[in-house]
Each structure stands twice: as structure tokens, then as C-alpha cells.
Amino acid sequence: MSAIVLMLVGLGGLALGFIFYSKFIAEKIYQLDPDFRTPAHEFEDGVDYVPTNKFVLWGHHFTSVAGAAPIVGPAVAVIWGWGPAFVWVILGTIFFAGVHDFGAIWASARNKAKSMGSLTGDVVSARARSIFMIVIFLVLLMVNAVFAVVIAGLLTTYPSAVLPVWGIILVALLIGQLIYRQKMNLVAVSIFGVVALYALIFIGPSVPLEMPAEVGFLSGTATWIIILFAYAFIASMLPVWVLLQPRDYINGIQLFIGLGVMYLAVLLLNPSMVAPMVNESVPEGTPSMIPLLFVTIACGAISGFHGLVSSGTTSKQLNKETDARFVGYFGAVGEGTLALAAIIAATAGFATLAEWESLYASFGAGGVGAFVEGGAYIISGGLGLSQEVSATLLAVMACLFAGTTMDTGVRLQRYIFQEWGQIYGIDWMKKNIPATVLAVAACMLLAFGAGGPDGDGGMLIWPLFGTTNQLLAGLTLLVITVMLVRLGRPMLFTLVPLVFLLVMTISALLVQLVDFYNDGAWFLLFLDVVVLVAAILVALECTSTLMRLRRESKTQES
């Protein structure tokens, strides 16, 4: 089958979802009010609360949520065949992710930009808030520690990507000054930023920068990890308009250009889907597709991490409530297009089925490597660029999005520590610097405490990321659903995704529990039990809260 067919059907479905379904949700379910005074205006401080142009805010939101996960998940899940991965990404984006991300921004903005963790205590119960905060902390810990490993690995494997990855930070700092201090035209600044970024990408292969294999007592990869956390510490402390917003905005434009290049190459090369639509001869040891597909592809279909970004940073920058549709739902659509590109690259970016099968010889194979190499094969063949430049372009894309997710993740983890300081009356923890130190220290402790001198400790608990992340999405949908019930609005459009996610998450946790026990992975077994108990408590909390609201509604009617 031609990859062009898959591309056109996928992109067409996502476009229709945004045009029609998001409009229905905005007008009939969330009922956005253009005159509502958003927290960005109510609490404007020039640091975290900054009224922002919706296109700039979309860039921040989209690139913060579109990290390495929408590449890794689909590129791993195609081991079951490209068909199931494709269906889950497209339908999940339209009916799950868009509603979830959009709803999280709306719910937070309607409640003084409170985070989902804090909001859960107000909307559901203190017990649910405690569960939520634990799950949030685990997800952020995994994202920050693992993405540092992913970026460090890409910088080590592709030294041609080092210059553009770090050079874009200087470009973003300049763009922030031009937009907010010099008040320059956004279009002109955007063109400058994009030209500068792609100039760096094309120069990169001519100026490869390799980290020495050993730096003192650390490996080169571990050194990159330390540098990345130092950067994330500084970036998370700066006012959002200085670095976070402009970096994310340019990255958002860069991703769509990169995806445009990828999809144009597909049109010109017309590669075939060499992988099977449904793989009936999966390698030994591959788990059951159901329920594991729905947690292997989290980001790219629906992801709880998006709710953290939506309520943690995006809602604090929302200029008008009506912007939430474009920023939230279209942000999810953008990530869906990235996941679709990952599926095509990982299944059509190979010359033969045998070549594909040799890479996918075991579950967990593929990932970022399959996306970069498969995508480079398509771009090189379709557009005539060299394999090295094509690989550099995709490696930079992956690095930049993992990086923007990482620095936003550290900022969000700082918020978590500050909220704990608020809840438990710990005054010093409410301050930015101590809270940020705790956030980075927790990530470093996992990275080097569990992973040793290589700093890859985050990979130890990564197998539980999908289930923990989907549980988080379920909690966010619970908050949104309860708000809708209290407002007397239809709840079916959030309740169905909520129930589906809880069923699949609990099922996946049970499957993984057996696997961890058989493998003797006792630490993962312990964490699995913790997340499983949390999932069950969430399911019970959902049921009791919604039943209580239903009883209250009947009492009021009578």
C-alpha cells in the first residue's frame, strides 16, 4: 500500500476533527466566553502570567507537549502493524486528546489558572488531589529524566545536530527581546527565526561537535545530561517571555516545516508501507496488543502530561478564553501529525520487509532511531537531500522537542513543590529557587542514583510511563467531567474517554505486573503496584463523585 494514502486519510481526518468537532465542543460543551477575564490579565506579573498572542502561545503549548514521546510510542507500537497504530493515533487525537487538552486549559483558566493537581482538591476531593499529586510527580520525574537521556543520546549519535540544537537558544533569546521589548512585527520575527534555525541545520554537518568519550570520571553522554539539567534549571527560572515562549514558538513553526518536508517527500517518493498492516508474526516476548497499544502510544493519541502543561503554563498565558480551542485542540492535532509522520517513517522508510523485520526483532526496538533513519531515507529519496542533512534535520527536530518538553517539565515540577509548600505550610518551599533546586535534584537523583555514572536511571522506570501517563489523563478528564456535571452540561464527550482510559490502564498494569514478576524486576513490580492502587482509587473516586452529583441533581429537581 502507498504511504500517500495513509498520509492523506490521516491528515484529512485530523483537519475535519479540528474544523467540526472542536467547534462543537467549544460552543456546546465548554461554551467559551470571549469576554471572560482570563488569569493572564487578572494576575499579570510579567513572569508566569503573561497575556500572549494565540499563535505564540500555540507554539509554546504545542512544542511543550510534543516531545520525544509522540515519536517513540508510535515507532515502537508499529511492531503490531501500522493499522492499529494509525487508527488509535487519528481517532485518539480527534475524540480524546483534543477534548482533553482543550478542556484542561478551559478548566484551569476558569479556576484562576490552578494546576490540575490543585484543582482536583477543589472540584473532586482532597483524597483525589493526593492521588493526583503523586501521579503528577512520577510522570514529571519520568519525562525529565528520560528525555535528558534521549537528547544526550541523539547529540552523541548525531554530532552534526549539536550546533543547531544549542544555537537555537541564542536565536530564541533574541526573538523574545524583539517581540516583547522592540514590539517588532510577528511575521518578520518569525521569518528571521526560521531562517536562522535552518541555516544552523544546514551548517551543522560541516561543523560536527563531538563530546569526548570521557570527561573526567563521567562518560560523554552523562556530561550532556548534566549540561541539559543545568540548562533546564536556568530556563525554568526565567520569565516565560524571555526564552520559553520564543523558543517554543520557533520550534512549533520548525516542526510544521519539518513535517511539511517529510510529507512532501512522501508525495514525491511514493514509498510503500513495507511493514504489515496487522503483524501476525510478532517477535517472541511481544506483549498483547490490547491493552498495551493504548499505553505504548500515549503522547500522539492522548497524554496526561498535556494536562499538566495546559494547566501549569498555558492557562497562565491565555489572552482570551476563545483562544483555548486553537491552542489546546489544534496543539493536539499538531502532535497527531507528528505521530502520523513517525508511523510512516517507521514503516515506509525501509527498502524491504526483511530490513524492517531485522530492526523490529524484539519489542521496544525502533523508537527515535527508526524515525530518524526511516524519515531520512524518505526525505533523501524524495527531495534529493543528502542522507546526512536529512538525518540531521530529523535529529534536531527530535532534540528540540524533547528539550522544550524537558524545560517546561522542570518548571512544572517546580510548581508541584511550591504547591506542596502551600498545602503543608512550608514557607521556603514556596520560593522559586528552592523549589527549582528540589525539582532538578529529584530528576538527577533518579538519573544518577538509579542509573549510576551513565545517568540513564530514568530508563529504569520508563516501562511504566505509558500507564502512569494515561492514569493522569483519566484524572484530568475526571475533573473536567465533574465541572461539566455541576454546570449542567453534557458530560458524555469526556466521560467515554475517561472510562476507556481507566479500563485500558488498569488492564495494562495487570499485564505488566505479571511480566515484572516473571522477570524478577522487583522495583518495577513495586511501582506497578503503587500505580495500580492509584488507578483503582481513581476509578472508585470517579464513580463515587459522579454518583454523588447525580443524587444532588435529583434532589434539586424534586
Side-chain angles (χ1 to χ4, degrees):
M1 173 179 162
S2 169
I4 294 177
V5 175
L6 199 70
M7 180 187 77
L8 294 178
V9 172
L11 294 179
L14 294 174
L16 291 173
F18 176 71
I19 293 169
F20 297 107
Y21 193 61
S22 73
K23 186 173 186 289
F24 166 76
I25 295 295
E27 294 178 353
K28 304 299 183 183
I29 309 302
Y30 299 147
Q31 298 180 18
L32 303 184
D33 180 3
D35 298 322
F36 174 75
R37 191 179 184 213
T38 64
H41 290 281
E42 186 177 356
F43 306 112
E44 185 174 358
D45 62 4
V47 179
D48 293 320
Y49 294 86
V50 180
T52 304
N53 176 286
K54 72 176 183 178
F55 296 103
V56 176
L57 183 56
W58 168 83
H60 155 70
H61 177 81
F62 169 44
T63 55
S64 294
V65 300
I71 295 173
V72 175
V76 169
V78 293
I79 197 167
W80 290 300
W82 57 261
F86 173 79
V87 171
W88 173 228
V89 162
I90 302 304
L91 295 185
T93 297
I94 295 171
F95 298 107
F96 287 61
V99 174
H100 170 276
D101 298 11
F102 178 7
I105 297 174
W106 167 75
S108 178
R110 279 281 167 173
N111 289 274
K112 301 184 182 300
K114 288 184 178 180
S115 73
M116 273 300 146
S118 177
L119 190 55
T120 303
D122 298 338
V123 175
V124 185
S125 68
R127 187 169 54 243
R129 180 185 65 188
S130 299
I131 300 169
F132 208 138
M133 297 292 270
I134 293 171
V135 176
I136 288 172
F137 184 78
L138 282 174
V139 168
L140 289 174
L141 201 60
M142 292 177 191
V143 167
N144 294 333
V146 170
F147 279 17
V149 177
V150 170
I151 299 168
L154 285 168
L155 293 176
T156 301
T157 305
Y158 302 98
S160 59
V162 174
L163 178 65
V165 165
W166 292 104
I168 192 59
I169 294 173
L170 298 177
V171 175
L173 288 168
L174 178 58
I175 287 173
Q177 296 296 318
L178 294 176
I179 292 176
Y180 287 97
R181 289 286 172 84
Q182 303 302 320
K183 307 297 182 182
M184 284 188 63
N185 179 271
L186 183 61
V187 174
V189 173
S190 302
I191 293 172
F192 162 74
V194 171
V195 170
L197 172 60
Y198 279 93
L200 289 169
I201 289 174
F202 278 93
I203 293 171
S206 303
V207 192
L209 300 174
E210 293 190 53
M211 181 70 71
E214 299 291 333
V215 180
F217 60 90
L218 293 173
S219 67
T221 302
T223 305
W224 275 129
I225 291 173
I226 292 175
I227 292 172
L228 286 163
F229 275 118
Y231 157 75
F233 178 89
I234 296 169
S236 67
M237 293 288 293
L238 292 172
V240 290
W241 65 268
V242 172
L243 177 60
L244 196 66
Q245 274 188 5
R247 172 179 156 94
D248 291 354
Y249 174 62
I250 291 301
N251 282 350
I253 297 174
Q254 178 258 157
L255 176 59
F256 267 87
I257 292 174
L259 288 175
V261 168
M262 175 75 175
Y263 288 132
L264 177 60
V266 170
L267 285 172
L268 295 175
L269 183 63
N270 190 20
S272 297
M273 307 293 291
V274 298
M277 180 176 178
V278 177
N279 191 4
E280 297 180 353
S281 56
V282 295
E284 185 177 351
T286 301
S288 170
M289 181 176 71
I290 298 176
L292 268 296
L293 170 69
F294 303 101
V295 296
T296 301
I297 302 179
C299 299
I302 181 171
S303 165
F305 178 74
H306 295 198
L308 302 186
V309 176
S310 297
S311 63
T313 59
T314 304
S315 63
K316 294 177 174 64
Q317 302 169 62
L318 194 68
N319 186 38
K320 294 182 179 179
E321 188 177 61
T322 47
D323 293 345
R325 176 193 172 200
F326 179 80
V327 174
Y329 197 101
F330 194 61
V333 167
E335 186 166 81
T337 63
L338 176 57
L340 175 61
I343 292 171
I344 292 173
T347 53
F350 298 86
T352 63
L353 174 60
E355 185 181 333
W356 181 84
E357 288 178 334
S358 68
L359 177 60
Y360 285 87
S362 62
F363 183 71
V368 174
F371 170 74
V372 172
E373 296 302 325
Y377 169 85
I378 292 173
I379 292 173
S380 179
L383 299 178
L385 295 176
S386 71
Q387 187 80 13
E388 186 178 20
V389 170
S390 301
T392 299
L393 189 152
L394 295 177
V396 168
M397 183 190 295
C399 280
L400 290 181
F401 285 99
T404 52
T405 301
M406 185 180 166
D407 53 29
T408 300
V410 170
R411 185 179 287 260
L412 292 172
Q413 206 157 17
R414 184 242 293 177
Y415 292 160
I416 294 298
F417 279 107
Q418 288 177 311
E419 285 187 12
W420 277 336
Q422 189 73 37
I423 292 169
Y424 299 110
I426 306 172
D427 290 335
W428 63 269
M429 196 183 288
K430 300 175 189 176
K431 299 176 181 177
N432 284 356
I433 293 178
T436 306
V437 169
L438 288 174
V440 172
C443 297
M444 296 282 280
L445 183 63
L446 173 61
F448 290 95
D454 289 335
D456 60 355
M459 304 304 294
L460 182 66
I461 61 175
W462 185 250
L464 281 170
F465 169 75
T467 46
T468 310
N469 195 31
Q470 300 303 59
L471 174 59
L472 190 57
L475 278 163
T476 300
L477 287 168
L478 169 61
V479 171
I480 298 169
T481 302
V482 170
M483 284 184 62
L484 291 173
V485 171
R486 287 181 172 170
L487 291 169
R489 299 177 190 171
M491 66 174 181
L492 192 63
F493 304 95
T494 56
L495 183 62
V496 171
L498 164 61
V499 173
F500 181 86
L501 283 179
L502 287 180
V503 170
M504 290 302 162
T505 298
I506 292 173
S507 301
L509 284 165
L510 291 171
V511 170
Q512 289 179 313
L513 194 69
V514 175
D515 292 339
F516 294 150
Y517 177 79
N518 291 335
D519 295 339
W522 307 119
F523 180 60
L524 283 174
L525 182 71
F526 167 74
L527 285 179
D528 192 300
V529 171
V530 170
V531 179
L532 180 61
V533 170
I536 293 171
L537 290 175
V538 169
L540 294 174
E541 199 67 37
C542 289
T543 305
S544 64
T545 301
L546 293 174
M547 288 181 67
R548 184 182 73 247
L549 289 173
R550 186 179 179 185
R551 286 195 300 269
E552 291 174 357
S553 177
K554 286 184 176 180
T555 301
Q556 291 174 357
E557 290 174 1
S558 61

mmCIF file with all atom_site columns, all heavy atoms in Angstrom, residues 98-116:
data_model
loop_
_atom_site.group_PDB
_atom_site.id
_atom_site.type_symbol
_atom_site.label_atom_id
_atom_site.label_alt_id
_atom_site.label_comp_id
_atom_site.label_asym_id
_atom_site.label_entity_id
_atom_site.label_seq_id
_atom_site.pdbx_PDB_ins_code
_atom_site.Cartn_x
_atom_site.Cartn_y
_atom_site.Cartn_z
_atom_site.occupancy
_atom_site.B_iso_or_equiv
_atom_site.pdbx_formal_charge
_atom_site.auth_seq_id
_atom_site.auth_comp_id
_atom_site.auth_asym_id
_atom_site.auth_atom_id
_atom_site.pdbx_PDB_model_num
ATOM 1   N N   . GLY A 1 98  ? -7.722  15.975 21.816 1.00 0.00 ? 98  GLY A N   1
ATOM 2   C CA  . GLY A 1 98  ? -8.197  17.336 21.595 1.00 0.00 ? 98  GLY A CA  1
ATOM 3   C C   . GLY A 1 98  ? -9.127  17.804 22.692 1.00 0.00 ? 98  GLY A C   1
ATOM 4   O O   . GLY A 1 98  ? -8.991  18.923 23.216 1.00 0.00 ? 98  GLY A O   1
ATOM 5   N N   . VAL A 1 99  ? -10.067 16.952 23.067 1.00 0.00 ? 99  VAL A N   1
ATOM 6   C CA  . VAL A 1 99  ? -11.037 17.285 24.119 1.00 0.00 ? 99  VAL A CA  1
ATOM 7   C C   . VAL A 1 99  ? -10.321 17.430 25.457 1.00 0.00 ? 99  VAL A C   1
ATOM 8   O O   . VAL A 1 99  ? -10.621 18.333 26.255 1.00 0.00 ? 99  VAL A O   1
ATOM 9   C CB  . VAL A 1 99  ? -12.125 16.195 24.190 1.00 0.00 ? 99  VAL A CB  1
ATOM 10  C CG1 . VAL A 1 99  ? -13.059 16.447 25.360 1.00 0.00 ? 99  VAL A CG1 1
ATOM 11  C CG2 . VAL A 1 99  ? -12.915 16.153 22.883 1.00 0.00 ? 99  VAL A CG2 1
ATOM 12  N N   . HIS A 1 100 ? -9.366  16.552 25.731 1.00 0.00 ? 100 HIS A N   1
ATOM 13  C CA  . HIS A 1 100 ? -8.608  16.550 26.990 1.00 0.00 ? 100 HIS A CA  1
ATOM 14  C C   . HIS A 1 100 ? -7.758  17.815 27.122 1.00 0.00 ? 100 HIS A C   1
ATOM 15  O O   . HIS A 1 100 ? -7.823  18.530 28.128 1.00 0.00 ? 100 HIS A O   1
ATOM 16  C CB  . HIS A 1 100 ? -7.732  15.291 27.038 1.00 0.00 ? 100 HIS A CB  1
ATOM 17  C CG  . HIS A 1 100 ? -6.723  15.261 28.141 1.00 0.00 ? 100 HIS A CG  1
ATOM 18  N ND1 . HIS A 1 100 ? -5.496  15.865 28.023 1.00 0.00 ? 100 HIS A ND1 1
ATOM 19  C CD2 . HIS A 1 100 ? -6.740  14.679 29.362 1.00 0.00 ? 100 HIS A CD2 1
ATOM 20  C CE1 . HIS A 1 100 ? -4.793  15.669 29.135 1.00 0.00 ? 100 HIS A CE1 1
ATOM 21  N NE2 . HIS A 1 100 ? -5.533  14.958 29.954 1.00 0.00 ? 100 HIS A NE2 1
ATOM 22  N N   . ASP A 1 101 ? -6.948  18.122 26.113 1.00 0.00 ? 101 ASP A N   1
ATOM 23  C CA  . ASP A 1 101 ? -6.034  19.265 26.189 1.00 0.00 ? 101 ASP A CA  1
ATOM 24  C C   . ASP A 1 101 ? -6.796  20.590 26.232 1.00 0.00 ? 101 ASP A C   1
ATOM 25  O O   . ASP A 1 101 ? -6.496  21.477 27.034 1.00 0.00 ? 101 ASP A O   1
ATOM 26  C CB  . ASP A 1 101 ? -5.084  19.260 24.991 1.00 0.00 ? 101 ASP A CB  1
ATOM 27  C CG  . ASP A 1 101 ? -4.196  18.021 24.956 1.00 0.00 ? 101 ASP A CG  1
ATOM 28  O OD1 . ASP A 1 101 ? -4.444  17.075 25.720 1.00 0.00 ? 101 ASP A OD1 1
ATOM 29  O OD2 . ASP A 1 101 ? -3.247  18.002 24.146 1.00 0.00 ? 101 ASP A OD2 1
ATOM 30  N N   . PHE A 1 102 ? -7.754  20.717 25.346 1.00 0.00 ? 102 PHE A N   1
ATOM 31  C CA  . PHE A 1 102 ? -8.622  21.886 25.272 1.00 0.00 ? 102 PHE A CA  1
ATOM 32  C C   . PHE A 1 102 ? -9.341  22.069 26.612 1.00 0.00 ? 102 PHE A C   1
ATOM 33  O O   . PHE A 1 102 ? -9.382  23.172 27.190 1.00 0.00 ? 102 PHE A O   1
ATOM 34  C CB  . PHE A 1 102 ? -9.589  21.649 24.112 1.00 0.00 ? 102 PHE A CB  1
ATOM 35  C CG  . PHE A 1 102 ? -10.621 22.717 23.857 1.00 0.00 ? 102 PHE A CG  1
ATOM 36  C CD1 . PHE A 1 102 ? -10.615 23.927 24.525 1.00 0.00 ? 102 PHE A CD1 1
ATOM 37  C CD2 . PHE A 1 102 ? -11.608 22.494 22.899 1.00 0.00 ? 102 PHE A CD2 1
ATOM 38  C CE1 . PHE A 1 102 ? -11.586 24.898 24.258 1.00 0.00 ? 102 PHE A CE1 1
ATOM 39  C CE2 . PHE A 1 102 ? -12.567 23.459 22.624 1.00 0.00 ? 102 PHE A CE2 1
ATOM 40  C CZ  . PHE A 1 102 ? -12.560 24.658 23.313 1.00 0.00 ? 102 PHE A CZ  1
ATOM 41  N N   . GLY A 1 103 ? -9.886  20.974 27.128 1.00 0.00 ? 103 GLY A N   1
ATOM 42  C CA  . GLY A 1 103 ? -10.645 21.028 28.379 1.00 0.00 ? 103 GLY A CA  1
ATOM 43  C C   . GLY A 1 103 ? -9.791  21.391 29.579 1.00 0.00 ? 103 GLY A C   1
ATOM 44  O O   . GLY A 1 103 ? -10.243 22.095 30.487 1.00 0.00 ? 103 GLY A O   1
ATOM 45  N N   . ALA A 1 104 ? -8.543  20.917 29.598 1.00 0.00 ? 104 ALA A N   1
ATOM 46  C CA  . ALA A 1 104 ? -7.658  21.230 30.725 1.00 0.00 ? 104 ALA A CA  1
ATOM 47  C C   . ALA A 1 104 ? -7.343  22.722 30.770 1.00 0.00 ? 104 ALA A C   1
ATOM 48  O O   . ALA A 1 104 ? -7.296  23.323 31.859 1.00 0.00 ? 104 ALA A O   1
ATOM 49  C CB  . ALA A 1 104 ? -6.372  20.421 30.611 1.00 0.00 ? 104 ALA A CB  1
ATOM 50  N N   . ILE A 1 105 ? -7.126  23.343 29.602 1.00 0.00 ? 105 ILE A N   1
ATOM 51  C CA  . ILE A 1 105 ? -6.889  24.795 29.555 1.00 0.00 ? 105 ILE A CA  1
ATOM 52  C C   . ILE A 1 105 ? -8.123  25.538 30.045 1.00 0.00 ? 105 ILE A C   1
ATOM 53  O O   . ILE A 1 105 ? -8.043  26.459 30.869 1.00 0.00 ? 105 ILE A O   1
ATOM 54  C CB  . ILE A 1 105 ? -6.529  25.247 28.128 1.00 0.00 ? 105 ILE A CB  1
ATOM 55  C CG1 . ILE A 1 105 ? -5.222  24.602 27.664 1.00 0.00 ? 105 ILE A CG1 1
ATOM 56  C CG2 . ILE A 1 105 ? -6.408  26.773 28.071 1.00 0.00 ? 105 ILE A CG2 1
ATOM 57  C CD1 . ILE A 1 105 ? -4.871  24.886 26.205 1.00 0.00 ? 105 ILE A CD1 1
ATOM 58  N N   . TRP A 1 106 ? -9.291  25.142 29.541 1.00 0.00 ? 106 TRP A N   1
ATOM 59  C CA  . TRP A 1 106 ? -10.554 25.779 29.926 1.00 0.00 ? 106 TRP A CA  1
ATOM 60  C C   . TRP A 1 106 ? -10.822 25.654 31.424 1.00 0.00 ? 106 TRP A C   1
ATOM 61  O O   . TRP A 1 106 ? -11.131 26.642 32.104 1.00 0.00 ? 106 TRP A O   1
ATOM 62  C CB  . TRP A 1 106 ? -11.695 25.149 29.127 1.00 0.00 ? 106 TRP A CB  1
ATOM 63  C CG  . TRP A 1 106 ? -13.060 25.486 29.639 1.00 0.00 ? 106 TRP A CG  1
ATOM 64  C CD1 . TRP A 1 106 ? -13.725 26.671 29.497 1.00 0.00 ? 106 TRP A CD1 1
ATOM 65  C CD2 . TRP A 1 106 ? -13.924 24.629 30.409 1.00 0.00 ? 106 TRP A CD2 1
ATOM 66  N NE1 . TRP A 1 106 ? -14.957 26.606 30.121 1.00 0.00 ? 106 TRP A NE1 1
ATOM 67  C CE2 . TRP A 1 106 ? -15.099 25.367 30.686 1.00 0.00 ? 106 TRP A CE2 1
ATOM 68  C CE3 . TRP A 1 106 ? -13.826 23.321 30.877 1.00 0.00 ? 106 TRP A CE3 1
ATOM 69  C CZ2 . TRP A 1 106 ? -16.157 24.826 31.417 1.00 0.00 ? 106 TRP A CZ2 1
ATOM 70  C CZ3 . TRP A 1 106 ? -14.873 22.775 31.598 1.00 0.00 ? 106 TRP A CZ3 1
ATOM 71  C CH2 . TRP A 1 106 ? -16.028 23.524 31.861 1.00 0.00 ? 106 TRP A CH2 1
ATOM 72  N N   . ALA A 1 107 ? -10.658 24.433 31.959 1.00 0.00 ? 107 ALA A N   1
ATOM 73  C CA  . ALA A 1 107 ? -10.932 24.200 33.378 1.00 0.00 ? 107 ALA A CA  1
ATOM 74  C C   . ALA A 1 107 ? -9.994  25.009 34.264 1.00 0.00 ? 107 ALA A C   1
ATOM 75  O O   . ALA A 1 107 ? -10.417 25.610 35.262 1.00 0.00 ? 107 ALA A O   1
ATOM 76  C CB  . ALA A 1 107 ? -10.801 22.709 33.684 1.00 0.00 ? 107 ALA A CB  1
ATOM 77  N N   . SER A 1 108 ? -8.717  25.047 33.910 1.00 0.00 ? 108 SER A N   1
ATOM 78  C CA  . SER A 1 108 ? -7.742  25.791 34.704 1.00 0.00 ? 108 SER A CA  1
ATOM 79  C C   . SER A 1 108 ? -7.993  27.297 34.623 1.00 0.00 ? 108 SER A C   1
ATOM 80  O O   . SER A 1 108 ? -7.977  28.000 35.642 1.00 0.00 ? 108 SER A O   1
ATOM 81  C CB  . SER A 1 108 ? -6.326  25.467 34.223 1.00 0.00 ? 108 SER A CB  1
ATOM 82  O OG  . SER A 1 108 ? -5.361  26.209 34.937 1.00 0.00 ? 108 SER A OG  1
ATOM 83  N N   . ALA A 1 109 ? -8.230  27.810 33.412 1.00 0.00 ? 109 ALA A N   1
ATOM 84  C CA  . ALA A 1 109 ? -8.469  29.242 33.239 1.00 0.00 ? 109 ALA A CA  1
ATOM 85  C C   . ALA A 1 109 ? -9.721  29.692 33.991 1.00 0.00 ? 109 ALA A C   1
ATOM 86  O O   . ALA A 1 109 ? -9.784  30.818 34.504 1.00 0.00 ? 109 ALA A O   1
ATOM 87  C CB  . ALA A 1 109 ? -8.599  29.579 31.753 1.00 0.00 ? 109 ALA A CB  1
ATOM 88  N N   . ARG A 1 110 ? -10.705 28.809 34.081 1.00 0.00 ? 110 ARG A N   1
ATOM 89  C CA  . ARG A 1 110 ? -11.936 29.130 34.799 1.00 0.00 ? 110 ARG A CA  1
ATOM 90  C C   . ARG A 1 110 ? -11.754 29.083 36.315 1.00 0.00 ? 110 ARG A C   1
ATOM 91  O O   . ARG A 1 110 ? -12.645 29.481 37.073 1.00 0.00 ? 110 ARG A O   1
ATOM 92  C CB  . ARG A 1 110 ? -13.042 28.149 34.397 1.00 0.00 ? 110 ARG A CB  1
ATOM 93  C CG  . ARG A 1 110 ? -13.707 28.502 33.085 1.00 0.00 ? 110 ARG A CG  1
ATOM 94  C CD  . ARG A 1 110 ? -14.714 29.600 33.273 1.00 0.00 ? 110 ARG A CD  1
ATOM 95  N NE  . ARG A 1 110 ? -15.160 30.187 32.007 1.00 0.00 ? 110 ARG A NE  1
ATOM 96  C CZ  . ARG A 1 110 ? -16.137 31.085 31.919 1.00 0.00 ? 110 ARG A CZ  1
ATOM 97  N NH1 . ARG A 1 110 ? -16.748 31.507 32.998 1.00 0.00 ? 110 ARG A NH1 1
ATOM 98  N NH2 . ARG A 1 110 ? -16.467 31.589 30.755 1.00 0.00 ? 110 ARG A NH2 1
ATOM 99  N N   . ASN A 1 111 ? -10.588 28.607 36.757 1.00 0.00 ? 111 ASN A N   1
ATOM 100 C CA  . ASN A 1 111 ? -10.312 28.481 38.194 1.00 0.00 ? 111 ASN A CA  1
ATOM 101 C C   . ASN A 1 111 ? -8.972  29.108 38.551 1.00 0.00 ? 111 ASN A C   1
ATOM 102 O O   . ASN A 1 111 ? -8.120  28.491 39.192 1.00 0.00 ? 111 ASN A O   1
ATOM 103 C CB  . ASN A 1 111 ? -10.347 27.004 38.602 1.00 0.00 ? 111 ASN A CB  1
ATOM 104 C CG  . ASN A 1 111 ? -11.748 26.425 38.587 1.00 0.00 ? 111 ASN A CG  1
ATOM 105 O OD1 . ASN A 1 111 ? -12.491 26.526 39.555 1.00 0.00 ? 111 ASN A OD1 1
ATOM 106 N ND2 . ASN A 1 111 ? -12.116 25.821 37.459 1.00 0.00 ? 111 ASN A ND2 1
ATOM 107 N N   . LYS A 1 112 ? -8.764  30.340 38.074 1.00 0.00 ? 112 LYS A N   1
ATOM 108 C CA  . LYS A 1 112 ? -7.590  31.146 38.417 1.00 0.00 ? 112 LYS A CA  1
ATOM 109 C C   . LYS A 1 112 ? -6.271  30.479 38.039 1.00 0.00 ? 112 LYS A C   1
ATOM 110 O O   . LYS A 1 112 ? -5.261  30.608 38.726 1.00 0.00 ? 112 LYS A O   1
ATOM 111 C CB  . LYS A 1 112 ? -7.615  31.509 39.912 1.00 0.00 ? 112 LYS A CB  1
ATOM 112 C CG  . LYS A 1 112 ? -8.859  32.287 40.324 1.00 0.00 ? 112 LYS A CG  1
ATOM 113 C CD  . LYS A 1 112 ? -8.815  32.719 41.758 1.00 0.00 ? 112 LYS A CD  1
ATOM 114 C CE  . LYS A 1 112 ? -10.092 33.455 42.146 1.00 0.00 ? 112 LYS A CE  1
ATOM 115 N NZ  . LYS A 1 112 ? -10.355 34.682 41.366 1.00 0.00 ? 112 LYS A NZ  1
ATOM 116 N N   . ALA A 1 113 ? -6.273  29.717 36.947 1.00 0.00 ? 113 ALA A N   1
ATOM 117 C CA  . ALA A 1 113 ? -5.078  29.059 36.404 1.00 0.00 ? 113 ALA A CA  1
ATOM 118 C C   . ALA A 1 113 ? -4.457  28.069 37.377 1.00 0.00 ? 113 ALA A C   1
ATOM 119 O O   . ALA A 1 113 ? -3.246  27.850 37.360 1.00 0.00 ? 113 ALA A O   1
ATOM 120 C CB  . ALA A 1 113 ? -4.034  30.090 35.960 1.00 0.00 ? 113 ALA A CB  1
ATOM 121 N N   . LYS A 1 114 ? -5.290  27.454 38.204 1.00 0.00 ? 114 LYS A N   1
ATOM 122 C CA  . LYS A 1 114 ? -4.778  26.435 39.118 1.00 0.00 ? 114 LYS A CA  1
ATOM 123 C C   . LYS A 1 114 ? -4.334  25.213 38.318 1.00 0.00 ? 114 LYS A C   1
ATOM 124 O O   . LYS A 1 114 ? -4.905  24.889 37.275 1.00 0.00 ? 114 LYS A O   1
ATOM 125 C CB  . LYS A 1 114 ? -5.847  26.019 40.125 1.00 0.00 ? 114 LYS A CB  1
ATOM 126 C CG  . LYS A 1 114 ? -6.151  27.079 41.170 1.00 0.00 ? 114 LYS A CG  1
ATOM 127 C CD  . LYS A 1 114 ? -7.146  26.547 42.194 1.00 0.00 ? 114 LYS A CD  1
ATOM 128 C CE  . LYS A 1 114 ? -7.414  27.582 43.278 1.00 0.00 ? 114 LYS A CE  1
ATOM 129 N NZ  . LYS A 1 114 ? -8.390  27.082 44.293 1.00 0.00 ? 114 LYS A NZ  1
ATOM 130 N N   . SER A 1 115 ? -3.322  24.524 38.831 1.00 0.00 ? 115 SER A N   1
ATOM 131 C CA  . SER A 1 115 ? -2.871  23.293 38.182 1.00 0.00 ? 115 SER A CA  1
ATOM 132 C C   . SER A 1 115 ? -3.918  22.216 38.391 1.00 0.00 ? 115 SER A C   1
ATOM 133 O O   . SER A 1 115 ? -4.777  22.316 39.284 1.00 0.00 ? 115 SER A O   1
ATOM 134 C CB  . SER A 1 115 ? -1.540  22.841 38.766 1.00 0.00 ? 115 SER A CB  1
ATOM 135 O OG  . SER A 1 115 ? -1.738  22.327 40.071 1.00 0.00 ? 115 SER A OG  1
ATOM 136 N N   . MET A 1 116 ? -3.843  21.167 37.582 1.00 0.00 ? 116 MET A N   1
ATOM 137 C CA  . MET A 1 116 ? -4.811  20.082 37.707 1.00 0.00 ? 116 MET A CA  1
ATOM 138 C C   . MET A 1 116 ? -4.743  19.419 39.082 1.00 0.00 ? 116 MET A C   1
ATOM 139 O O   . MET A 1 116 ? -5.759  18.993 39.625 1.00 0.00 ? 116 MET A O   1
ATOM 140 C CB  . MET A 1 116 ? -4.572  19.044 36.607 1.00 0.00 ? 116 MET A CB  1
ATOM 141 C CG  . MET A 1 116 ? -5.282  19.353 35.313 1.00 0.00 ? 116 MET A CG  1
ATOM 142 S SD  . MET A 1 116 ? -7.064  19.420 35.548 1.00 0.00 ? 116 MET A SD  1
ATOM 143 C CE  . MET A 1 116 ? -7.480  20.691 34.380 1.00 0.00 ? 116 MET A CE  1
#
